[in-house]
Amino acid sequence: MIFRDGVFHADPHPGNFLLLADHRIGILDFGDVGYVTGPRREQLENLVIAVGTHDVDELTDTILAMTTPPAHVDIMQLRGDIDVWLRKYFLGDVAHLDVAAILTSWSQMMHDHKLVLPADLALLFRVMLRLQGLGRNVGTDVRLTELLTPYIRQILAERFDPHRIARRALRTARSWDHLIQTLPEHVQDAFERIRAGELGVNFRVRDVDGTVDRLVDGLFASASLLAAAQLIARKAGPTIGGVSLVGVAVVGGGITAWRRVVVNRPGHKSIAQRVLSISDLRANEA
């Protein structure tokens, strides 16, 4: 129902199942129903393939795509935790699966990495874990990988089906065609908004104490003095009386930058302030 129909019974406890005489299962009480959309189904297919083949990298990528992780998530640590979780709980048969431990460890892993499952996925995983618990209660010894193998084969066959590939290629081509047709209008609209002052980039650097400014001025002053020394020593033209004018100009730039560093130094006093301080000192002594 999950992988074929996209609509599934979301309350699979033993009281909602009947074993019919012709070896079929009757399902009761469809008051709780879950749905699987197209994009979500593709993610679930990736998840099933990853679990069935024990592909930790694919499983990690799929979980990240499902949960929209924060920017600071440690993917290497997450991959290691998923590897441990997968090996611990999904290598045995269904009868020996500890559903409570699976739920607890999964929830803890998601919490540790700040990952939140969408509501439809949370419902789906709850149903799948309940089904595993149901298999455990009836004493089945079928391995989970054996249950997933037919679906993995079916999914892979559908993915490489020429008709499906053609439909996806056609859909992609239509998307590109729509983008190419609407791109000039979007670009024109963006330029008009820029011209009208409605669109811009707000770039702001906070340097409250001016540390970055002083650092830049100091680097510029040092580089200017070194460059000026080379220019004057090599008498780089144009020159007057053998003195490089370019070197002198660079010296002036370096002195200006160095002066800014000195002036912005905490506790610095200008010449006028020093004169006033000396005058006030003498007045007080008098």
Side-chain angles (χ1 to χ4, degrees):
M1 296 176 68
I2 294 172
F3 294 101
R4 184 191 63 190
D5 304 316
V7 180
F8 58 92
H9 191 287
D11 192 19
H13 63 78
N16 284 339
F17 290 94
L18 290 177
L19 298 180
L20 305 180
D22 55 355
H23 304 289
R24 292 185 303 162
I25 296 178
I27 304 177
L28 309 176
D29 188 8
F30 278 81
D32 195 1
V33 178
Y35 301 90
V36 181
T37 61
R40 189 72 75 200
R41 177 176 179 176
E42 186 171 353
Q43 291 179 339
L44 291 175
E45 291 176 353
N46 294 336
L47 187 67
V48 171
I49 294 174
V51 172
T53 58
H54 304 290
D55 189 339
V56 178
D57 293 333
E58 179 65 23
L59 184 57
T60 303
D61 294 339
T62 303
I63 291 176
L64 291 174
M66 287 179 168
T67 56
T68 311
H72 60 273
V73 63
D74 189 341
I75 297 180
M76 294 298 296
Q77 182 63 40
L78 175 62
R79 183 178 288 110
D81 293 343
I82 291 176
D83 187 16
V84 173
W85 179 80
L86 182 64
R87 292 176 181 276
K88 184 175 182 179
Y89 294 108
F90 289 92
L91 294 182
D93 55 58
V94 176
H96 294 87
L97 289 177
D98 189 343
V99 179
I102 291 175
L103 282 171
T104 302
S105 61
W106 173 268
S107 300
Q108 185 62 46
M109 182 172 61
M110 295 294 103
H111 175 75
D112 291 342
H113 293 278
K114 305 296 187 298
L115 302 177
V116 180
L117 285 175
D120 58 337
L121 285 178
L123 175 63
L124 177 61
F125 289 161
R126 186 193 72 181
V127 170
M128 296 181 69
L129 291 174
R130 280 193 177 184
L131 290 174
Q132 294 172 1
L134 180 62
R136 176 185 178 186
N137 290 335
V138 298
T140 181
D141 57 356
V142 179
R143 291 182 178 273
L144 182 63
T145 52
E146 295 177 10
L147 296 176
L148 293 178
T149 298
Y151 293 105
I152 295 175
R153 292 175 179 173
Q154 178 183 350
I155 292 170
L156 292 177
E158 291 178 353
R159 290 200 170 185
F160 290 101
D161 179 50
H163 296 287
R164 180 173 179 178
I165 295 175
R167 288 195 301 270
R168 297 190 66 173
L170 181 60
R171 185 167 60 250
T172 302
R174 287 198 300 265
S175 299
W176 277 104
D177 180 65
H178 177 73
L179 175 63
I180 293 173
Q181 290 182 6
T182 59
L183 184 60
E185 298 178 2
H186 294 322
V187 172
Q188 182 179 359
D189 178 66
F191 277 115
E192 290 178 354
R193 294 180 63 185
I194 292 174
R195 190 184 305 113
E198 298 176 356
L199 182 65
V201 178
N202 185 11
F203 185 77
R204 182 179 302 171
V205 178
R206 296 184 178 273
D207 185 22
V208 179
D209 56 358
T211 303
V212 176
D213 289 339
R214 291 196 296 272
L215 177 61
V216 172
D217 288 338
L219 292 175
F220 179 76
S222 301
S224 299
L225 293 177
L226 291 174
Q230 291 291 329
L231 292 171
I232 294 174
R234 297 181 181 184
K235 298 182 180 181
T239 61
I240 295 180
V243 179
S244 172
L245 295 180
V246 178
V248 174
V250 174
V251 169
I255 293 175
T256 302
W258 183 257
R259 179 63 183 168
R260 289 185 56 184
V261 174
V262 174
V263 170
N264 293 327
R265 182 181 301 169
H268 171 76
K269 293 182 179 180
S270 64
I271 296 177
Q273 290 174 335
R274 293 180 181 179
V275 171
L276 291 176
S277 299
I278 295 174
S279 299
D280 292 339
L281 181 61
R282 291 181 177 178
N284 292 331
E285 291 178 352

